[in-house]
Amino acid sequence: MTVKEFKLPDVGEGVAEGELVSWLVAPGDRVEEDQPVAEVETDKALVEVPSSYDGTVEELFVEEGEMVPVGDVIISFRVDEDGDAGAAAADAGSDAESDSDSAAADEPGPEPDATADEGDAEPAEPDTPSGRTFAPPSARRLARELGVDVAAVEGSGPGGRVSEADVRAHAEGADGSAGSDGEDGPEPRPAPTPTDAGSEGRKSAVSKRGAGGSRDEGSAAIGGGPEPAGRETTLATPATRKVARERDVDLDDVPTDETRDGEAFVTAEAVNAYADALESAAESASESEPEPADVDAGAEPAATDAASAGDETVPYRGVRRTIGKQMERSKFTAPHVTHHDTAEVDSLVDARADLKPTAEAEEVKLTYMPFVMKAIVAGLKEHPYLNSELREEDEAIVLKKDYNLGIAVATDAGLMVPVVDDVDEKGLFELADEVNDLAARARERKLKPAEMKGGTFTITNFGAIGGEYATPIINYPETAILGLGAIEERPVVRERDGESEVVPAPTLPLSLSIDHRVVDGAIAAQFANTVMEHLENPLLLLNE
């Protein structure tokens, strides 16, 4: 058996990093080649990362919620000698020699000499398999930063588990330097901590804060305030660390009776309780000790603002960041103009009602969307500039011959736009089935990146949530997007027996946004008229 490290592959075109959302395996699990081992969210989609090996999960190097650059090691496997060659070929992005060296240093397999070294560091435990070093990803990461061989560290946790404190203690014993002492002292440590924005070393153990407006200098001096615990290290989940950053609290100072692996463990509730106690003590102190107004005015807002009641900070990354950048690029690149109109869709409502039983017999949920898609194709064929792309660098407008319609879908992660290809070549039921499938997988975050590419025109159905008109932002580099309002009965004017009368009728509000560099307002109106003509006379769709 040998240990092979597996690096985060390029999970999408142009993707440089991803957030490891969840692990699908745990150490000791048996996996097969191509079996998904993790879910990773990139700036394009949520994707599953498959294993390149047949073997057993040895160690997880990344915690859930971490951002991981492509090419970084995320997991290691114990692999049979027989399968090494094939697995190595499948994992073309990995460097076999460096992987083996790293695995031998950090995670020794059950070799005779490795077993002997492990035995020197820790007496044999019944629950510790021979030749393995138990250490969380944070401890292994710290060991690499400090140049420590994790296999040589004596673990103080259950079954010889190595904690970050064990790694630091081993490093201090080897170096004997003042710099190492300073890292564990009350002064700020140079090693990166998870409370530092943009930290490369995300760890479960949180360092103390010092300069820069931290609480640890002033909290003990507040009369009646809680006594800071003053620990060296503290274990906490990423969610708890997030709360600590928002409340400007040093986790090492938060009192707790809970422990994990022999070290103090702090929950989000304990952080909030400690922060609330600090704020109450600060308010009491400011009321009882009237200091010069200038001093208090300069210091108080920072603490108050940092702990604004109920505020929550949400990371701006992944799909949400991609949506923001795309919207910004579109809005500041293409001059938008929105054309509004309303289609009277009595006949469309009747046509759908007539076809629904047939669709249900074929297990298809028939909505109005396939009818709209067909009407749009009719409009694009007559007015091809709305099915185009402006390539500024080439000073050319490309009129697309494919009719690939993107359907905007609201998900918990933000707006996703799966693309239905070749709409002109598909029937109503086929379109309905494909749209329903893409929308469902978009909400479940199971779309493939390729399924959101190649669109030539986009539809957004805000009427499904509520509303009539909007000003949709173009899905750049496309040149147009059509927004659909809710189909409802509204008052319309109809001619009957030579007289005009107002009657209720089902209508569909339309909001068409165009890139005015490519499409003129008159062309936009003509396109909308063509779409409405086909929606108001569904038999015309038989030609599409």
Side-chain angles (χ1 to χ4, degrees):
M1 302 284 284
T2 59
V3 175
K4 292 290 184 180
E5 291 184 339
F6 177 71
K7 301 173 182 178
L8 179 66
D10 185 354
V11 292
E13 182 180 348
V15 172
E17 63 177 3
E19 178 183 356
L20 199 146
V21 176
S22 63
W23 283 110
L24 305 178
V25 294
D29 288 355
R30 182 74 186 178
V31 298
E32 298 178 355
E33 186 176 353
D34 294 330
Q35 175 182 336
V37 296
E39 290 184 317
V40 174
E41 181 182 63
T42 70
D43 58 356
K44 300 181 184 298
L46 185 73
V47 296
E48 291 182 339
V49 177
S51 168
S52 292
Y53 299 100
D54 289 332
T56 302
V57 177
E58 173 74 6
E59 192 71 40
L60 308 180
F61 290 91
V62 177
E63 297 175 358
E64 293 181 352
E66 278 196 43
M67 296 298 295
V68 186
V70 169
D72 274 19
V73 175
I74 61 172
I75 188 173
S76 63
F77 302 94
R78 275 182 285 129
V79 182
D80 295 336
E81 297 274 357
D82 301 349
D84 284 355
D91 187 19
S94 63
D95 191 350
E97 290 187 5
S98 62
D99 285 353
S100 299
D101 292 343
S102 174
D106 281 356
E107 300 176 279
E111 310 275 348
D113 54 345
T115 305
D117 292 341
E118 186 70 17
D120 293 340
E122 178 70 18
E125 297 269 346
D127 57 345
T128 305
S130 176
R132 295 186 59 187
T133 299
F134 285 117
S138 56
R140 292 185 180 276
R141 206 172 296 111
L142 179 61
R144 288 194 291 270
E145 293 171 3
L146 300 179
V148 171
D149 181 356
V150 73
V153 178
E154 183 176 356
S156 61
R161 186 178 178 87
V162 176
S163 68
E164 292 184 54
D166 297 330
V167 173
R168 290 196 183 92
H170 184 88
E172 291 172 8
D175 298 342
S177 63
S180 298
D181 295 338
E183 277 193 351
D184 284 345
E187 295 298 319
R189 289 175 287 200
T193 73
T195 56
D196 297 328
S199 169
E200 293 297 327
R202 303 172 181 85
K203 299 189 268 294
S204 296
V206 180
S207 305
K208 282 182 171 296
R209 296 182 188 169
S214 66
R215 291 185 182 272
D216 58 352
E217 294 180 1
S219 60
I222 298 175
E227 187 70 23
R231 291 181 297 274
E232 295 296 338
T233 57
T234 301
L235 298 180
T237 65
T240 300
R241 296 199 296 269
K242 174 175 175 288
V243 173
R245 289 195 296 272
E246 294 170 356
R247 301 299 300 268
D248 195 23
V249 165
D250 186 342
L251 284 180
D252 290 340
D253 288 339
V254 178
T256 182
D257 295 328
E258 294 189 40
T259 59
R260 294 282 175 87
D261 296 336
E263 295 189 30
F265 180 81
V266 168
T267 63
E269 291 75 13
V271 171
N272 283 321
Y274 181 70
D276 291 342
L278 285 177
E279 290 169 9
S280 298
E283 291 175 2
S284 300
S286 63
E287 292 174 0
S288 60
E289 298 180 16
E291 294 293 333
D294 292 343
V295 176
D296 287 343
E300 185 64 21
T304 303
D305 292 346
S308 297
D311 284 357
E312 179 182 2
T313 302
V314 179
Y316 183 59
R317 62 192 187 202
V319 175
R320 181 76 264 166
R321 181 176 62 183
T322 300
I323 294 170
K325 288 183 177 180
Q326 176 73 354
M327 294 299 100
E328 179 182 15
R329 180 187 181 195
S330 178
K331 196 65 177 177
F332 287 102
T333 301
H336 282 55
V337 170
T338 304
H339 173 87
H340 299 287
D341 216 325
T342 303
E344 299 176 17
V345 291
D346 313 58
S347 299
L348 176 62
V349 172
D350 293 339
R352 174 175 174 261
D354 291 341
L355 289 173
K356 277 188 72 175
T358 305
E360 290 172 357
E362 298 186 20
E363 299 184 347
V364 173
K365 180 182 178 182
L366 182 62
T367 66
Y368 291 108
M369 183 61 72
F371 297 92
V372 174
M373 294 169 73
K374 282 294 191 178
I376 288 173
V377 169
L380 294 178
K381 287 181 177 179
E382 288 193 27
H383 310 284
Y385 277 84
L386 281 92
N387 197 51
S388 67
E389 175 185 339
L390 173 60
R391 296 181 180 172
E392 298 177 75
E393 65 280 3
D394 299 331
E395 296 185 342
I397 299 172
V398 180
L399 305 180
K400 302 296 183 69
K401 296 304 180 183
D402 294 326
Y403 300 96
N404 304 333
L405 303 190
I407 311 296
V409 179
T411 73
D412 292 340
L415 202 64
M416 294 188 178
V417 187
V419 176
V420 180
D421 294 330
D422 304 319
V423 174
D424 57 319
E425 300 175 4
K426 297 174 180 176
L428 289 175
F429 289 3
E430 186 178 0
L431 289 175
D433 197 44
E434 188 169 349
V435 168
N436 292 335
D437 172 63
L438 289 171
R441 288 193 290 114
R443 296 186 184 98
E444 295 171 359
R445 312 285 299 284
K446 293 183 178 179
L447 284 177
K448 300 175 182 177
E451 293 176 313
M452 294 186 285
K453 295 179 181 179
T456 62
F457 187 99
T458 296
I459 309 169
T460 177
N461 183 17
F462 47 80
I465 301 173
E468 294 187 43
Y469 298 99
T471 54
I473 297 178
I474 298 167
N475 190 13
Y476 189 82
E478 297 170 11
T479 56
I481 181 173
L482 182 65
L484 309 178
I487 294 181
E488 295 177 352
E489 285 200 342
R490 298 178 178 89
V492 299
V493 177
R494 295 276 174 85
E495 292 289 335
R496 182 173 297 176
D497 299 330
E499 296 183 358
S500 298
E501 62 178 349
V502 177
V503 297
T507 61
L508 171 60
L510 304 175
S511 300
L512 173 68
S513 290
I514 57 170
D515 183 343
H516 215 337
R517 299 173 302 173
V518 179
V519 182
D520 294 331
I523 300 299
Q526 292 168 13
F527 169 83
N529 289 340
T530 302
V531 172
M532 290 192 297
E533 180 184 8
H534 284 72
L535 292 176
E536 293 173 353
N537 301 280
L539 289 178
L540 294 175
L541 299 176
L542 296 176
N543 294 325
E544 300 305 324

